[in-house]
Amino acid sequence: MVSQMTATPPASAPATRWSRRKDVRPGEILEAALKLFVEKGFRATKMEDIAREAGVTKGTPYLYYENKEEIFKAVIREGMLTKFDELEGLSGQDEASAETRLRQVIYRWWESIGNTRLAGLSKLMIAEAANFPELASFYHAEVIVRCRNMVRHVLEEGVERGEFHILNMDHAVEIVIAPLLLAMVWKHSFHNFESAKFDMPAHLDNVLDILINGLKTR
Amino acid sequence: MVSQMTATPPASAPATRWSRRKDVRPGEILEAALKLFVEKGFRATKMEDIAREAGVTKGTPYLYYENKEEIFKAVIREGMLTKFDELEGLSGQDEASAETRLRQVIYRWWESIGNTRLAGLSKLMIAEAANFPELASFYHAEVIVRCRNMVRHVLEEGVERGEFHILNMDHAVEIVIAPLLLAMVWKHSFHNFESAKFDMPAHLDNVLDILINGLKTR
Amino acid sequence: MVSQMTATPPASAPATRWSRRKDVRPGEILEAALKLFVEKGFRATKMEDIAREAGVTKGTPYLYYENKEEIFKAVIREGMLTKFDELEGLSGQDEASAETRLRQVIYRWWESIGNTRLAGLSKLMIAEAANFPELASFYHAEVIVRCRNMVRHVLEEGVERGEFHILNMDHAVEIVIAPLLLAMVWKHSFHNFESAKFDMPAHLDNVLDILINGLKTR
Amino acid sequence: MVSQMTATPPASAPATRWSRRKDVRPGEILEAALKLFVEKGFRATKMEDIAREAGVTKGTPYLYYENKEEIFKAVIREGMLTKFDELEGLSGQDEASAETRLRQVIYRWWESIGNTRLAGLSKLMIAEAANFPELASFYHAEVIVRCRNMVRHVLEEGVERGEFHILNMDHAVEIVIAPLLLAMVWKHSFHNFESAKFDMPAHLDNVLDILINGLKTR
DNA sequence: CATGAATGAGTTTTCATTCAT
DNA sequence: AATGAATGAAAACTCATTCAT
């Protein structure tokens, strides 16, 4: 999705009916599908819409994917993994305070996922989990659990250093993750109705203040 | 939904083939529709499935609702309002500490919404907001904003009393709401994959400990 | 197919858009499908053509059959069995000479199968055997083998009575069956090109003369 | 088909990527098409399958044939003619008895047609006659009628010589042809279900014994 | 000559909705 | 008031054919 799904802008002047771009098509199709699935949901998205959005015709997606369901699976699968590799690679590099590192993790998540079209994936999986159980399982293992582990790791270090005082680690992890989820939901489902659009970095800042304050050793 | 959607048990010996059911049918249909919409989404739910789930046949829902979309709207509209009236009626009755009242609000929310089939409504609206903008607007005004206001009210009282120290009220409200949303999402989308199922009341307890600690005046 | 597939003529004056005739629809659909499959083959027959031929619209056949393949199977399955029960019931009733009985079997076959739309089934199976192996197997067991057995039975009696002199029974059975197959093929595939249409009963007569003469004990 | 369809082994080291194959390609394509049409029928055979079977890619058949229908016509047209020329050339050469010559005709037919992939052509035409009337007409004139004439010629000689006693020549011709058709049908449609595979030469032998016996003057 | 990505007309199949019973 | 057979618009999917490379 990182490389494949970065669509090249539709050729400005297509002199011919079409061009052959076997290598980029799959990415363009997934990109288009991601956008529409996130917007309308799996069932409400028509194959022809995906094709049109990708700049091809009805039949072309079928050259690369068996059917609509396979496109959905590919969207999810290719969508998040690489980003996480990046994220996990970054975290843990420095020797700053746990507080600083927690803030870093959250900000980075916002930059590379939350503020990205990929955040829509989460909304998508929330909506379709019951219809695609194996995919939900995959998402749970590869996204939710990894996300929790990243947070848990920082929190545990904070506890070791005596910075944080945490009674129940599982629940503490959740409260850190919760506002991230909320941010994605606001962004993807109700942004049109929020009169004063959230300044998300500032929001995360304030939320972290409260949380870190609440987690701190007294 | 409270009154209408409380289905009378279909087993209660009907005198005629279809004795006067005009009064209970709509509720049974909405109840069935809610269940299926939450499970599978709007598009993936077939009218016939709704009918079967409601114990009637294909044509019957159309006697009470124009079409599938109207059923969806009715499900959302009737689904949450009355519950909120209850909730709002309860809160603010006592003169306990803001901390106590915040805990009460959250627990009551969990009892009357979060732990109820109605929680699925939120998942549903998150998924379908883009397809039903007016409905999303309605939901935003009637559910999200009211929910925020309830929380805000308690927090503001806490600030007035000198119990809480809050820099940005909007953001503080969000961090209180966030774990509630998370709870609903876990419950409705990924509960099958959570090895150790959350003891939700305990979780809310712990989360509130952290939040209240973080919000407290030092 | 006998009863079910006997289509009632389309109601002369349908005042309404359609009428509900759940009991006769399947037969009408199979009847229509048989006609078109025999004419054009399985693949070249469109579902919509079957529907139109049956006097219904596109969607109706799907109320009674999963898909086109199931219709094909039903056509074959229902097509021949009952006729054969009739045939087998008739043969062997009298104590006439083997020659007489052989002639009877052949004539009856012609009346109840060869001269019927059902003969087209054979052409159909010949064409589609490779595409529907299990169905071909079923056809082989239920039609071909039964047909051979009927003939074999008569020939064996003829041998017992000393009427016929047969060196290899298997091959003798085939030579009796062969002209029946030929008759069906001519009728269904090349009848338009035969300048002098065969008088089939006379033809069978002549053929039987030769065969019986050839089989006779000298 | 004899010359064109005799594919040169594709293994013969090509000097260039596609060295002058213009002369052999059409035959290879028809050969592949024949095989697949016979196996699956005209409609169920995909152009791409023909191409793959012929060892080329999708576009190539269109360099040699207008479209799928033209390929079908070419398959039929080129398929049988030359073989018949051979057959007709052979028959009538010697001065043996009519019985001997009849046996010869049948055996030769079996060798050069019945036991060949070309036999599938008959099955194909039986199946597709209604969809390709002009082709069926052509096949009728060039194959069926010629085949009958060959048989008729021998039978007439037999009558002239006083060997055969035939009341109705047309019908006699059919009874001789019938087992040939049967043989092809068995071979191409139901061979998988025949427990004891027929020893076809022996079968033809036995069948001819009966027929010739039946035709003989007493 | 040959390739094979792309097209788009054509089919199959689904399902919300209607309406005779 | 309820049924459920039938409709027909709308989607999903196929594949013969084209044409840039």
Side-chain angles (χ1 to χ4, degrees):
Chain A
M1 204 98 126
V2 173
S3 51
Q4 302 97 309
M5 290 182 68
T6 305
T8 51
S12 46
T16 61
R17 276 206 300 168
W18 39 263
S19 59
R20 22 174 74 206
R21 305 189 298 152
K22 184 184 180 150
D23 43 342
V24 294
R25 282 281 185 258
E28 292 172 343
I29 290 162
L30 293 188
E31 185 77 11
L34 171 59
K35 182 180 169 217
L36 293 170
F37 285 156
V38 167
E39 243 169 53
K40 307 153 112 64
F42 174 73
R43 288 294 293 260
T45 297
K46 295 178 228 164
M47 282 298 276
E48 200 164 357
D49 292 342
I50 296 176
R52 192 179 310 111
E53 178 76 29
V56 295
T57 51
K58 243 181 29 246
T60 304
Y62 291 97
L63 298 178
Y64 300 97
Y65 301 96
E66 283 275 317
N67 53 38
K68 198 174 157 184
E69 199 165 320
E70 289 305 317
I71 293 184
F72 184 74
K73 290 180 188 169
V75 163
I76 300 290
R77 266 189 247 278
E78 315 243 316
M80 220 112 182
L81 290 185
T82 343
K83 281 291 173 194
F84 260 90
D85 292 342
E86 277 178 52
L87 269 187
E88 289 179 342
L90 290 177
S91 66
Q93 287 168 335
D94 54 3
E95 288 302 316
S97 70
E99 171 172 352
T100 306
R101 296 196 48 218
L102 184 57
R103 287 183 188 273
Q104 274 184 357
V105 166
I106 302 300
Y107 294 145
R108 280 172 184 156
W109 174 90
W110 177 249
E111 293 303 327
S112 57
I113 294 175
N115 200 22
T116 298
R117 178 170 295 167
L118 302 183
L121 272 180
S122 300
K123 176 184 129 179
L124 192 52
M125 268 319 314
I126 288 169
E128 300 292 346
N131 294 328
F132 297 91
E134 354 128 39
L135 214 53
S137 169
F138 167 82
Y139 180 87
H140 184 265
E142 296 294 329
V143 176
I144 295 175
V145 170
R146 280 172 89 178
C147 199
R148 281 178 181 158
N149 284 343
M150 273 172 54
V151 171
R152 172 189 301 267
H153 190 234
V154 180
L155 293 185
E156 279 171 350
E157 279 194 358
V159 172
E160 279 169 30
R161 291 169 178 234
E163 284 185 57
F164 295 153
H165 174 72
I166 294 176
L167 291 172
N168 183 317
M169 182 55 78
D170 288 341
H171 299 168
V173 168
E174 297 302 313
I175 189 64
V176 173
I177 288 172
L180 305 183
L181 179 73
L182 196 68
M184 295 193 299
V185 168
W186 274 192
K187 197 171 161 60
H188 280 277
S189 294
F190 298 106
H191 60 106
N192 288 134
F193 314 109
E194 298 285 334
S195 49
K197 313 281 179 182
F198 259 48
D199 172 5
M200 201 49 77
H203 172 59
L204 292 177
D205 234 21
N206 282 318
V207 159
L208 281 167
D209 285 346
I210 294 169
L211 285 178
I212 287 165
N213 193 27
L215 294 168
K216 268 205 187 124
T217 316
R218 291 289 132 83
Chain B
M1 203 96 128
V2 171
S3 52
Q4 298 96 316
M5 288 181 70
T6 305
T8 52
S12 55
T16 68
R17 184 132 146 285
W18 10 260
S19 58
R20 291 294 154 273
R21 297 289 294 268
K22 190 174 180 177
D23 43 346
V24 293
R25 278 278 184 268
E28 291 171 346
I29 289 163
L30 292 188
E31 187 77 14
L34 171 59
K35 180 179 171 217
L36 293 170
F37 285 155
V38 167
E39 242 169 53
K40 307 154 116 61
F42 175 73
R43 289 292 295 257
T45 297
K46 295 178 215 164
M47 283 297 278
E48 197 167 0
D49 293 341
I50 295 175
R52 191 180 310 112
E53 179 75 30
V56 295
T57 51
K58 265 170 88 166
T60 305
Y62 289 93
L63 298 176
Y64 300 97
Y65 301 95
E66 218 28 51
N67 53 37
K68 195 176 162 185
E69 198 165 321
E70 290 305 317
I71 293 183
F72 184 73
K73 290 180 186 167
V75 163
I76 300 290
R77 265 190 249 276
E78 318 242 317
M80 220 117 183
L81 290 185
T82 347
K83 281 290 173 192
F84 261 88
D85 292 343
E86 275 177 54
L87 270 186
E88 288 177 343
L90 289 176
S91 64
Q93 286 168 336
D94 55 2
E95 289 303 317
S97 69
E99 171 172 350
T100 306
R101 295 197 48 219
L102 184 58
R103 287 184 187 273
Q104 274 184 357
V105 166
I106 302 301
Y107 293 146
R108 281 171 184 157
W109 173 91
W110 176 250
E111 292 302 329
S112 57
I113 294 175
N115 200 22
T116 299
R117 180 172 296 170
L118 302 182
L121 274 179
S122 300
K123 175 184 127 179
L124 191 52
M125 269 318 313
I126 288 169
E128 301 291 346
N131 295 326
F132 299 90
E134 350 114 51
L135 211 55
S137 170
F138 167 83
Y139 180 89
H140 184 264
E142 297 293 330
V143 177
I144 295 174
V145 171
R146 280 172 90 178
C147 197
R148 280 177 182 158
N149 285 342
M150 274 172 55
V151 171
R152 173 189 301 269
H153 191 235
V154 180
L155 292 186
E156 279 170 349
E157 277 192 359
V159 171
E160 279 169 28
R161 291 170 178 233
E163 282 186 58
F164 295 153
H165 174 72
I166 294 177
L167 291 172
N168 183 317
M169 182 55 77
D170 287 342
H171 298 168
V173 168
E174 297 302 312
I175 189 64
V176 173
I177 288 173
L180 305 183
L181 179 74
L182 196 68
M184 295 193 299
V185 167
W186 273 193
K187 197 172 162 61
H188 280 276
S189 295
F190 299 106
H191 61 105
N192 287 133
F193 314 109
E194 298 284 334
S195 49
K197 313 280 179 184
F198 259 48
D199 171 4
M200 204 48 81
H203 172 59
L204 293 177
D205 234 22
N206 281 317
V207 160
L208 281 166
D209 286 346
I210 294 169
L211 285 178
I212 287 165
N213 193 27
L215 294 167
K216 268 204 186 124
T217 315
R218 293 289 133 82
Chain C
M1 204 97 130
V2 173
S3 52
Q4 303 97 309
M5 290 182 68
T6 305
T8 51
S12 47
T16 63
R17 277 206 298 169
W18 39 263
S19 59
R20 22 174 72 205
R21 304 188 298 150
K22 186 184 175 145
D23 44 342
V24 294
R25 283 281 184 256
E28 291 173 343
I29 289 162
L30 292 189
E31 187 75 12
L34 171 59
K35 180 178 170 221
L36 293 170
F37 286 156
V38 166
E39 241 169 53
K40 307 154 111 66
F42 175 73
R43 288 294 294 261
T45 297
K46 295 178 229 167
M47 282 299 276
E48 199 163 359
D49 293 341
I50 295 175
R52 190 178 312 111
E53 179 75 29
V56 294
T57 52
K58 243 177 33 243
T60 303
Y62 290 96
L63 298 178
Y64 300 96
Y65 301 95
E66 282 276 314
N67 53 38
K68 197 173 157 185
E69 200 165 320
E70 289 305 316
I71 293 183
F72 184 75
K73 290 180 187 169
V75 163
I76 300 290
R77 267 189 247 277
E78 316 243 314
M80 220 115 183
L81 290 184
T82 344
K83 281 292 173 191
F84 260 89
D85 292 343
E86 275 178 52
L87 270 187
E88 288 179 344
L90 288 177
S91 65
Q93 287 168 335
D94 54 3
E95 289 302 317
S97 69
E99 171 172 351
T100 306
R101 294 198 48 219
L102 184 58
R103 289 182 186 272
Q104 273 184 357
V105 165
I106 301 301
Y107 293 146
R108 279 171 183 156
W109 174 91
W110 176 249
E111 292 302 328
S112 57
I113 293 175
N115 199 22
T116 299
R117 178 171 297 170
L118 303 183
L121 273 179
S122 300
K123 175 185 128 180
L124 191 52
M125 268 318 315
I126 288 169
E128 301 292 345
N131 294 327
F132 298 89
E134 355 127 40
L135 213 54
S137 171
F138 167 83
Y139 180 88
H140 184 264
E142 295 295 329
V143 176
I144 295 175
V145 170
R146 280 172 90 177
C147 198
R148 280 177 181 158
N149 285 342
M150 274 173 53
V151 171
R152 172 189 302 268
H153 190 235
V154 179
L155 293 186
E156 279 171 347
E157 280 194 358
V159 171
E160 279 168 30
R161 292 169 178 233
E163 284 186 58
F164 295 153
H165 173 73
I166 294 177
L167 290 172
N168 182 317
M169 181 55 77
D170 289 339
H171 298 168
V173 168
E174 297 302 313
I175 189 65
V176 173
I177 287 172
L180 304 183
L181 178 74
L182 195 68
M184 295 195 299
V185 167
W186 272 193
K187 196 171 163 59
H188 281 277
S189 296
F190 299 106
H191 60 106
N192 288 133
F193 314 109
E194 298 285 334
S195 48
K197 314 282 179 182
F198 259 48
D199 171 5
M200 201 52 76
H203 172 58
L204 292 177
D205 234 23
N206 281 317
V207 160
L208 281 166
D209 285 346
I210 294 169
L211 285 178
I212 287 165
N213 194 28
L215 294 167
K216 269 204 186 123
T217 317
R218 291 290 133 82
Chain D
M1 205 94 128
V2 172
S3 50
Q4 298 96 317
M5 288 182 68
T6 306
T8 51
S12 54
T16 70
R17 183 134 147 283
W18 11 262
S19 60
R20 293 292 154 275
R21 299 288 295 269
K22 191 174 179 178
D23 43 344
V24 293
R25 278 277 184 268
E28 291 171 346
I29 289 163
L30 292 189
E31 188 77 13
L34 171 58
K35 181 181 170 217
L36 293 170
F37 285 154
V38 167
E39 243 168 53
K40 305 154 117 62
F42 175 72
R43 288 293 295 257
T45 297
K46 297 178 213 163
M47 283 297 277
E48 197 167 359
D49 293 341
I50 296 175
R52 190 179 312 112
E53 178 76 29
V56 295
T57 51
K58 266 171 89 167
T60 304
Y62 289 93
L63 298 175
Y64 300 97
Y65 300 95
E66 237 355 72
N67 54 36
K68 196 175 162 185
E69 198 164 323
E70 289 306 316
I71 293 182
F72 184 73
K73 289 180 188 167
V75 163
I76 300 290
R77 264 190 251 277
E78 318 242 317
M80 220 116 182
L81 291 185
T82 348
K83 282 290 174 192
F84 260 90
D85 291 343
E86 274 179 54
L87 269 186
E88 288 178 343
L90 289 176
S91 66
Q93 287 168 337
D94 54 3
E95 290 302 317
S97 71
E99 171 173 349
T100 306
R101 294 197 47 217
L102 184 57
R103 288 183 187 272
Q104 274 184 357
V105 165
I106 301 301
Y107 294 147
R108 281 171 183 156
W109 173 91
W110 176 248
E111 293 302 328
S112 57
I113 293 176
N115 200 22
T116 298
R117 177 171 298 169
L118 302 182
L121 273 178
S122 299
K123 174 183 127 179
L124 190 53
M125 269 318 312
I126 288 169
E128 301 291 346
N131 295 327
F132 299 90
E134 350 113 49
L135 212 55
S137 170
F138 167 83
Y139 180 88
H140 184 264
E142 296 295 330
V143 176
I144 296 174
V145 171
R146 282 171 88 179
C147 197
R148 280 178 180 156
N149 284 343
M150 274 173 53
V151 171
R152 171 188 304 266
H153 190 235
V154 180
L155 294 185
E156 279 172 347
E157 278 194 359
V159 171
E160 280 168 29
R161 291 171 177 229
E163 284 185 58
F164 296 153
H165 174 72
I166 295 177
L167 291 172
N168 182 318
M169 181 56 76
D170 288 339
H171 298 167
V173 168
E174 297 302 313
I175 189 64
V176 173
I177 287 173
L180 304 184
L181 178 73
L182 196 67
M184 294 195 298
V185 167
W186 273 192
K187 197 172 163 59
H188 280 275
S189 296
F190 299 106
H191 60 106
N192 287 131
F193 314 110
E194 297 286 335
S195 49
K197 314 280 180 181
F198 258 50
D199 172 4
M200 202 49 78
H203 172 59
L204 292 177
D205 233 23
N206 281 317
V207 160
L208 280 166
D209 285 346
I210 294 169
L211 285 178
I212 287 166
N213 193 26
L215 294 166
K216 270 204 185 128
T217 318
R218 294 287 130 82

PDB file of all heavy atoms in Angstrom, chain A residues 119-130:
ATOM      1  N   ALA A 119      -6.254   5.653   8.364  1.00  0.00           N
ATOM      2  CA  ALA A 119      -7.101   5.655   9.549  1.00  0.00           C
ATOM      3  C   ALA A 119      -8.492   5.147   9.203  1.00  0.00           C
ATOM      4  O   ALA A 119      -9.168   4.505  10.012  1.00  0.00           O
ATOM      5  CB  ALA A 119      -7.183   7.055  10.124  1.00  0.00           C
ATOM      6  N   GLY A 120      -8.883   5.401   7.964  1.00  0.00           N
ATOM      7  CA  GLY A 120     -10.184   4.925   7.522  1.00  0.00           C
ATOM      8  C   GLY A 120     -10.295   3.413   7.618  1.00  0.00           C
ATOM      9  O   GLY A 120     -11.374   2.867   7.812  1.00  0.00           O
ATOM     10  N   LEU A 121      -9.164   2.754   7.483  1.00  0.00           N
ATOM     11  CA  LEU A 121      -9.147   1.299   7.600  1.00  0.00           C
ATOM     12  C   LEU A 121      -9.765   0.834   8.908  1.00  0.00           C
ATOM     13  O   LEU A 121     -10.463  -0.182   8.949  1.00  0.00           O
ATOM     14  CB  LEU A 121      -7.707   0.795   7.557  1.00  0.00           C
ATOM     15  CG  LEU A 121      -7.100   0.500   6.209  1.00  0.00           C
ATOM     16  CD1 LEU A 121      -5.687   0.023   6.396  1.00  0.00           C
ATOM     17  CD2 LEU A 121      -7.936  -0.547   5.501  1.00  0.00           C
ATOM     18  N   SER A 122      -9.474   1.566   9.941  1.00  0.00           N
ATOM     19  CA  SER A 122      -9.985   1.157  11.246  1.00  0.00           C
ATOM     20  C   SER A 122     -11.495   1.256  11.263  1.00  0.00           C
ATOM     21  O   SER A 122     -12.196   0.345  11.711  1.00  0.00           O
ATOM     22  CB  SER A 122      -9.374   2.023  12.333  1.00  0.00           C
ATOM     23  OG  SER A 122      -7.973   1.868  12.302  1.00  0.00           O
ATOM     24  N   LYS A 123     -11.995   2.357  10.769  1.00  0.00           N
ATOM     25  CA  LYS A 123     -13.441   2.495  10.670  1.00  0.00           C
ATOM     26  C   LYS A 123     -14.014   1.341   9.858  1.00  0.00           C
ATOM     27  O   LYS A 123     -15.023   0.731  10.217  1.00  0.00           O
ATOM     28  CB  LYS A 123     -13.788   3.831  10.005  1.00  0.00           C
ATOM     29  CG  LYS A 123     -15.269   4.014   9.775  1.00  0.00           C
ATOM     30  CD  LYS A 123     -15.576   5.296   9.031  1.00  0.00           C
ATOM     31  CE  LYS A 123     -16.462   5.015   7.837  1.00  0.00           C
ATOM     32  NZ  LYS A 123     -16.806   6.235   7.088  1.00  0.00           N
ATOM     33  N   LEU A 124     -13.342   1.064   8.761  1.00  0.00           N
ATOM     34  CA  LEU A 124     -13.790  -0.015   7.871  1.00  0.00           C
ATOM     35  C   LEU A 124     -13.848  -1.347   8.614  1.00  0.00           C
ATOM     36  O   LEU A 124     -14.841  -2.073   8.540  1.00  0.00           O
ATOM     37  CB  LEU A 124     -12.807  -0.091   6.701  1.00  0.00           C
ATOM     38  CG  LEU A 124     -13.170  -0.927   5.496  1.00  0.00           C
ATOM     39  CD1 LEU A 124     -14.532  -0.576   4.969  1.00  0.00           C
ATOM     40  CD2 LEU A 124     -12.119  -0.761   4.420  1.00  0.00           C
ATOM     41  N   MET A 125     -12.800  -1.663   9.322  1.00  0.00           N
ATOM     42  CA  MET A 125     -12.767  -2.950  10.022  1.00  0.00           C
ATOM     43  C   MET A 125     -13.788  -2.984  11.151  1.00  0.00           C
ATOM     44  O   MET A 125     -14.408  -4.021  11.392  1.00  0.00           O
ATOM     45  CB  MET A 125     -11.368  -3.215  10.587  1.00  0.00           C
ATOM     46  CG  MET A 125     -10.428  -3.985   9.696  1.00  0.00           C
ATOM     47  SD  MET A 125     -11.087  -5.407   8.766  1.00  0.00           S
ATOM     48  CE  MET A 125     -12.036  -6.326   9.945  1.00  0.00           C
ATOM     49  N   ILE A 126     -13.974  -1.871  11.822  1.00  0.00           N
ATOM     50  CA  ILE A 126     -14.999  -1.822  12.859  1.00  0.00           C
ATOM     51  C   ILE A 126     -16.353  -2.171  12.257  1.00  0.00           C
ATOM     52  O   ILE A 126     -17.130  -2.946  12.816  1.00  0.00           O
ATOM     53  CB  ILE A 126     -15.038  -0.418  13.504  1.00  0.00           C
ATOM     54  CG1 ILE A 126     -13.800  -0.214  14.384  1.00  0.00           C
ATOM     55  CG2 ILE A 126     -16.307  -0.219  14.320  1.00  0.00           C
ATOM     56  CD1 ILE A 126     -13.600   1.216  14.840  1.00  0.00           C
ATOM     57  N   ALA A 127     -16.607  -1.619  11.087  1.00  0.00           N
ATOM     58  CA  ALA A 127     -17.902  -1.841  10.458  1.00  0.00           C
ATOM     59  C   ALA A 127     -18.055  -3.255   9.907  1.00  0.00           C
ATOM     60  O   ALA A 127     -19.124  -3.848   9.979  1.00  0.00           O
ATOM     61  CB  ALA A 127     -18.105  -0.830   9.331  1.00  0.00           C
ATOM     62  N   GLU A 128     -16.979  -3.809   9.355  1.00  0.00           N
ATOM     63  CA  GLU A 128     -17.095  -5.070   8.627  1.00  0.00           C
ATOM     64  C   GLU A 128     -16.576  -6.281   9.391  1.00  0.00           C
ATOM     65  O   GLU A 128     -16.561  -7.393   8.851  1.00  0.00           O
ATOM     66  CB  GLU A 128     -16.364  -4.965   7.283  1.00  0.00           C
ATOM     67  CG  GLU A 128     -16.890  -3.874   6.370  1.00  0.00           C
ATOM     68  CD  GLU A 128     -18.295  -4.175   5.846  1.00  0.00           C
ATOM     69  OE1 GLU A 128     -18.746  -5.328   5.973  1.00  0.00           O
ATOM     70  OE2 GLU A 128     -18.930  -3.238   5.332  1.00  0.00           O
ATOM     71  N   ALA A 129     -16.144  -6.081  10.623  1.00  0.00           N
ATOM     72  CA  ALA A 129     -15.545  -7.200  11.369  1.00  0.00           C
ATOM     73  C   ALA A 129     -16.438  -8.435  11.369  1.00  0.00           C
ATOM     74  O   ALA A 129     -15.970  -9.550  11.139  1.00  0.00           O
ATOM     75  CB  ALA A 129     -15.232  -6.764  12.795  1.00  0.00           C
ATOM     76  N   ALA A 130     -17.733  -8.228  11.576  1.00  0.00           N
ATOM     77  CA  ALA A 130     -18.622  -9.379  11.673  1.00  0.00           C
ATOM     78  C   ALA A 130     -18.793 -10.082  10.333  1.00  0.00           C
ATOM     79  O   ALA A 130     -19.029 -11.293  10.282  1.00  0.00           O
ATOM     80  CB  ALA A 130     -19.983  -8.947  12.202  1.00  0.00           C
TER      81      ALA A 130
END
